[in-house]
Amino acid sequence: GGGGAAVMRMARAIGWADVADALREHLQLCCISLALLLMAAVCPHVPLLNSVGRLPAALIAVAFPLVGVSAALDALVDIADGKINIHVLMALAAFASIFMGNSLEGGLLLAMFNLAHIAEEYFTSKSMYDVRELKENHPEFALLLETSGDESAHFSNLNYAKVPVHDLEVGSHILVRAGEAVPVDGEVYQGSSTITIEHLTGETKPVERTVGDAIPGGARNLEGMMIVKVTKSWEDSTLNRIVQLTEEGQLNKPKLQRWLDEFGEHYSKVVVALSLAVALLGPFLFNWPFFGNSVCRGSIYRGLGLMVAASPCALAVAPLAYATAISSLASKGILLKGGHVLDALSSCQSIAFDKTGTLTTGKLMCKAIEPIHGHLDASNGVDPSCCTPNCESEALAVAAAMEKGTTHPIGRAVLKHSVGRDLPVVAVESFESLPGRGVVATLSGIKARDNENEFAKASIGSVEYISSLYRSYGESEQIKEAVKCSAFGPEFVQAALSVDKKVTLFHFEDEPRTGVCEVIYTLREKAKLRIMMLTGDHESSAQRVAKAVCIEEVHFSLKPEDKLNKVKAVSREGGGGLIMVGDGINDAPALAAATVGIVLAQRASATAVAVADVLLLQDNLCVVPFCIAKARQTTSLVKQSVALALTCIVFAALPSVLGFLPLWLTFRFFSMKEEPFSFA
């Protein structure tokens, strides 16, 4: 407003504004002021210091301006603009103490308030500063390996060009030498090395990375040389998401904090109005003297006592609790899409986990390939060479061609199983991915069995999806029955491949993550959460993993829309809220619909990361209980502190008005209200 601007012009003209700017955010000076005030407080109780007559007054005279100059200017500008808020109320109460002979308590009030403000600014800006510093030190260019035709990137042919990281495309190959940072998310294509991701996740121990292992953008290569295949563009990379989430986090205040801010502004106006009413109307209504005498405290004294006792200190420093919690989580590689996520986490009563890649390692191993339907049978006197060169090799070649470039665990396992094998050449056309179902393609290298003029059609995906492609009910049931009668049993993860009416079953093994049982136990017994698994896999595979990770409630054979509906249903049934932990494209709808969506950043698809509320930079579920516990601790701390503050206000304000409570004691109540936040 114009009034505030006029005050600022005057303050700048006389140099007041320059001094205030220098003192306002100066942590060292604030600490010095607080130390001097504490020394003044203990002087009467230390014989040696007590002998120096005016030492306390001298200490206060030096300390008070260090925190009072900026507070006075800020309050004056707000008042000139017609604003009465917590900052104004603090300043009025503190400066009123000077006229009441309690300048020590007023100085302590300002010092603690200013210290809380500086601490809040420090914690909320620290992660942003670290991220920006990391981004500035991040390479702007990458060494893109040049290949032609079907030629693969290899150490024996290191022709590369220096290109901007923003121009890197998914599927391209880059060279990362010792001492260099990985510019974008990728996976090791050739070579092995030791990398550090401490600046991303807080994990100090270097980790080994070899062929097939994922590497987040920003990881630093400590030794060796690697060829890295790009899996995410710069816009979707881990490092860029860190920057985006941190910036978004600054704008999204917790719901409780927003309520406190709004309440504090209205509350401050009411307190100031009541204090003025007590000071000005007391002599007329209750025959109190204005300035007091030996018999009765004055109305001005009572009004100031009310103002000090009713100062909503807990409301003023509540953001500090959220800021410290966010900083603590960030140090462990947990990024929130805003402080409001803490409130949401603390309200949740259920948690749902995706299976593959979340509860399990996601690194499947192909254990067997089994023709189950449509292949010619030698026992019937028919030539068994229905596939080229044989059924297993043809199926593996087709599946590898269809899954080339995939990030799905099954696709990666197929490709890894095909490496080093003598397989027929298969080219793929008209490729289409169906999230939650499978992949469909036309094969240009294989002719259709019943029509030499057409190329064969191929589909790979879940058994349910592949069997649904056969219009004949009997044939569909034959496929399902063949799967049930598989020689390898139902314990493995299964995927089916259909090529020109021939169905082949792939069997994979997926191991649970290390330490998952302990995580589940903590969430169930300590956090008291309802725990469930939501997966698109069939029952036998889902139950095997659920038993291994100690989860009793399992929902299997779910399509993406089924997961979404389940999340909505659980949220309606149980109340509170639901946390969804996943990583894939098929998890994105459920992640978006959940009260809080959590993803493992190093494995998650760009879509999953975009809709998630919490990003786990560490490839470790052990931080999930810590995240939930920190959220509950923070919101509980804020609520307790506000409740304690309001209780103290009730018990201190009325006695102050009635003249039973001296002004210095109301400051002691202020200290009590402030105390809980010292543990934030």
Side-chain angles (χ1 to χ4, degrees), residues 145-153 157 159:
L145 293 175
E146 299 176 344
T147 57
S148 58
D150 295 331
E151 180 185 353
S152 300
N157 182 24
N159 294 323

Side-chain angles (χ1 to χ4, degrees), residues 440-519:
V440 182
T442 299
L443 308 178
S444 59
I446 300 178
K447 296 290 186 179
R449 185 190 304 179
D450 55 357
N451 190 339
E452 288 293 328
N453 297 322
E454 292 184 4
F455 291 117
K457 303 287 185 180
S459 301
I460 186 171
S462 65
V463 172
E464 291 75 12
Y465 169 63
I466 296 301
S467 61
S468 70
L469 299 178
Y470 289 78
R471 297 181 180 180
S472 167
Y473 178 78
E475 195 171 12
S476 177
E477 288 301 308
Q478 288 176 13
I479 295 172
K480 292 180 180 179
E481 188 62 29
V483 172
K484 291 180 181 179
C485 299
S486 168
F488 298 93
E491 294 301 309
F492 294 115
V493 176
Q494 297 172 331
L497 171 71
S498 173
V499 181
D500 198 20
K501 301 295 183 179
K502 297 176 294 185
V503 180
T504 305
L505 192 62
F506 285 75
H507 299 270
F508 304 92
E509 188 173 36
D510 185 15
E511 294 299 320
R513 286 176 177 270
T514 303
V516 171
C517 271
E518 289 78 4
V519 171

Side-chain angles (χ1 to χ4, degrees), residues 141-218:
F141 297 91
L143 303 180
L144 177 65
L145 293 175
E146 299 176 344
T147 57
S148 58
D150 295 331
E151 180 185 353
S152 300
H154 198 275
F155 282 126
S156 61
N157 182 24
L158 293 180
N159 294 323
Y160 57 82
K162 190 175 182 181
V163 300
V165 294
H166 296 82
D167 295 342
L168 289 176
E169 297 180 356
V170 174
S172 59
H173 296 81
I174 57 177
L175 181 66
V176 182
R177 300 172 295 196
E180 295 180 340
V182 181
V184 294
D185 289 15
E187 65 178 39
V188 181
Y189 184 77
Q190 283 191 12
S192 62
S193 184
T194 303
I195 65 170
T196 178
I197 52 177
E198 179 179 2
H199 49 300
L200 296 177
T201 68
E203 175 58 54
T204 58
K205 184 180 178 181
V207 292
E208 299 289 335
R209 284 292 183 267
T210 186
V211 174
D213 290 338
I215 298 184

Side-chain angles (χ1 to χ4, degrees), residues 36-37 40-41 43 52-65 103-104:
L36 293 175
L37 291 167
C43 276
V52 183
R54 304 193 61 81
L55 180 59
L59 293 174
I60 295 171
V62 174
F64 201 104
S103 55
L104 172 61

Side-chain angles (χ1 to χ4, degrees), residues 90 109 112-113 116 312-314 316-317 320 641 644-645 668-679:
M90 293 292 104
L109 171 64
M112 288 188 290
F113 185 76
C313 314
V317 296
L320 179 59
S641 298
L644 178 60
R668 296 297 181 265
F669 272 98
F670 163 78
S671 300
M672 290 173 61
K673 290 185 287 181
E674 189 79 11
E675 184 176 357
F677 282 91
S678 63
F679 301 100

